[in-house]
Amino acid sequence: MGLAEYFKVNRYDPKYYIGDRLIGKWNKIPFVGTVGNDTFINEDEGPRISIHLDLPIKYKEKWHYIIIVKHKDVKPYK
């Protein structure tokens, strides 16, 4: 088996793609944003999504424009 076949069988298949719109809550704060990346880093963390926010969120005296969330924290924006 070559590398192309190996990665086709064993790679992470994302649920959301770049540009998909999502809503959810991050640290109990509601947000709306766009998917930047849906990736799988390692077995311990599991899959995660980077979200580019429509409006920044101020949390603990810091402004966040991009956040990292789990799949259970978001749903598609219709």
Side-chain angles (χ1 to χ4, degrees), residues 34-48:
T34 304
V35 172
N37 192 10
D38 182 356
T39 188
F40 188 86
I41 301 297
N42 60 39
E43 295 291 333
D44 295 332
E45 281 190 42
R48 64 184 194 175

Side-chain angles (χ1 to χ4, degrees), residues 5-77:
E5 293 85 19
Y6 173 82
F7 284 111
K8 186 174 183 181
V9 172
N10 294 309
R11 74 177 187 150
Y12 171 68
D13 188 30
K15 182 175 180 182
Y16 302 107
Y17 295 93
I18 294 174
D20 288 352
R21 305 281 292 150
L22 299 176
I23 60 173
K25 287 194 176 184
W26 177 75
N27 291 322
K28 300 180 183 177
I29 304 168
F31 68 85
V32 178
T34 304
V35 172
N37 192 10
D38 182 356
T39 188
F40 188 86
I41 301 297
N42 60 39
E43 295 291 333
D44 295 332
E45 281 190 42
R48 64 184 194 175
I49 307 166
S50 63
I51 306 284
H52 297 259
L53 299 170
D54 289 354
L55 297 172
I57 295 174
K58 188 174 185 181
Y59 180 71
K60 293 186 178 179
E61 301 302 320
K62 184 178 176 189
W63 289 97
H64 297 271
Y65 301 91
I66 298 173
I67 57 175
I68 307 293
V69 297
K70 298 287 186 182
H71 286 82
K72 65 178 178 59
D73 299 327
V74 298
K75 60 184 177 180
Y77 180 73

